[in-house]
Amino acid sequence: MFRSFLPTLSKGFHTSPSALAGPRKQASGTIRKQNVILQAKRAKDAVADRPSVVLGTRPSEEAVKWPSCDLAKVLVDEEVLFSATSSSSASSSSQTASSSTLHVVESSVGEVLIPAQPAFGVAAVEADLLFNELPRISAEARNLLPPPVGAAVSSDKVQQFERFAEQERQKVENFAKVVDLRNANAAGIAFENRRRIIEAFSTPENPFDPGRAEVQAALKTYQIRKLWTHLIAYKRDVGNRLGLRKLVHQRAKILRYLRQHEPRPLRNRLGTTSSRARVG
């Protein structure tokens, strides 16, 4: 009788995990596995979104942080520079400083077209000297000053003055085309970028101070980004990688020095997230 009852009794007990685990325990195991997978994904995303040791920004912030910083705003936008077409008409009020089209300026010999972005360090003072004062001096040397208002002057004299004034105006426009930034090579654009950086990061007391620490940090950042873009396009250029490492370490020393003074405002101006950006 005991032997006949034993098979029946054994059928009521199972030791397998699926039979012993209830619905709540199975659900907790599923949630635990999902949490492990989610934690691994978060750790992977955190590693992928770490600040770049070269650029100093996170990959998710690069598209927003870099264009909005002061350093990127003063640099020459080469895409806009070479995509813009020259126009002989007057520029509209919506034309910004980044546009490279010619615009009308009133000078001593009439209206002349000068580039909005002149090259070779031609700032506002130099532009006034070249496009306004120089034509006036040339006209005075040739006795081509306009006649006084109300003075009796023969028509031949007026025509002669207008003809020579037109020649001077053509000279100014031709010279303006020569100093247009679109005619500069890579070295000319780099020179203009360095001039703008020094002017933007210097103090009002000394508007041209290349030895200032902030100016040096901005110049290093410009060189690093320019070389980084080159290495992304030409991955086999191993020789320039050592130069990039040196530039990053030099900038890191400057940022460590400036960290005691104004770390966060300077990082915002340079477009970097971390002031310890270096190659490890």
Side-chain angles (χ1 to χ4, degrees):
M1 181 176 179
F2 180 75
R3 292 181 179 179
S4 62
F5 176 73
L6 186 59
T8 306
L9 185 63
S10 62
K11 292 181 180 180
F13 295 94
H14 299 277
T15 58
S16 60
S18 60
L20 295 177
R24 182 177 300 177
K25 193 171 184 180
Q26 292 180 358
S28 63
T30 304
I31 293 174
R32 189 180 300 108
K33 292 180 180 179
Q34 292 177 354
N35 290 337
V36 171
I37 296 174
L38 184 60
Q39 289 177 0
K41 183 177 181 301
R42 288 176 178 174
K44 184 178 179 180
D45 294 342
V47 172
D49 199 38
R50 288 184 302 179
S52 173
V53 293
V54 177
L55 301 180
T57 57
R58 300 180 185 274
S60 59
E61 301 175 348
E62 176 65 20
V64 177
K65 197 175 185 64
W66 168 247
S68 61
C69 69
D70 295 342
L71 179 58
K73 292 178 181 179
V74 300
L75 296 178
V76 176
D77 192 346
E78 297 187 21
E79 294 183 359
V80 177
L81 177 65
F82 294 108
S83 63
T85 57
S86 299
S87 175
S88 59
S89 60
S91 59
S92 60
S93 59
S94 62
Q95 185 181 20
T96 60
S98 62
S99 176
S100 61
T101 57
L102 301 176
H103 62 280
V104 177
V105 173
E106 187 69 27
S107 69
S108 57
V109 293
E111 293 183 348
V112 294
L113 295 173
I114 66 173
Q117 291 197 79
F120 312 113
V122 180
V125 178
E126 290 80 6
D128 181 70
L129 179 64
L130 294 173
F131 305 129
N132 187 22
E133 294 296 330
L134 188 60
R136 182 182 61 80
I137 296 173
S138 179
E140 290 178 353
R142 300 176 62 179
N143 294 324
L144 298 178
L145 293 177
V149 179
V153 182
S154 63
S155 59
D156 295 339
K157 187 68 174 179
V158 174
Q159 292 177 1
Q160 182 183 8
F161 169 76
E162 292 177 353
R163 183 171 65 255
F164 287 127
E166 179 64 21
Q167 292 178 1
E168 292 295 330
R169 193 184 66 81
Q170 290 293 336
K171 291 180 183 179
V172 173
E173 289 190 356
N174 292 335
F175 182 75
K177 294 177 182 179
V178 172
V179 298
D180 194 342
L181 189 60
R182 288 172 293 179
N183 297 327
N185 54 8
I189 295 177
F191 173 82
E192 177 64 17
N193 282 328
R194 290 193 297 269
R195 185 194 66 82
R196 293 185 180 188
I197 291 173
I198 295 173
E199 183 180 0
F201 287 85
S202 297
T203 57
E205 295 79 12
N206 189 0
F208 190 82
D209 188 8
R212 194 165 183 257
E214 289 83 352
V215 176
Q216 287 296 316
L219 290 174
K220 298 295 183 185
T221 303
Y222 165 66
Q223 292 176 329
I224 288 170
R225 285 189 166 269
K226 188 176 180 180
L227 189 55
W228 174 259
T229 304
H230 170 77
L231 292 176
I232 290 296
Y234 302 94
K235 298 183 182 297
R236 295 188 178 182
D237 188 2
V238 184
N240 278 323
R241 294 183 183 179
L242 178 60
L244 179 63
R245 292 171 65 93
K246 290 181 178 179
L247 286 173
V248 172
H249 280 289
Q250 290 171 4
R251 184 184 64 175
K253 292 180 181 179
I254 299 174
L255 293 178
R256 281 197 296 268
Y257 169 77
L258 292 171
R259 195 184 309 158
Q260 303 175 356
H261 299 83
E262 47 174 4
R264 191 170 300 275
L266 182 63
R267 292 204 301 269
N268 294 338
R269 297 187 69 188
L270 297 181
T272 58
T273 302
S274 174
S275 61
R276 301 171 182 243
R278 61 180 180 86
V279 177

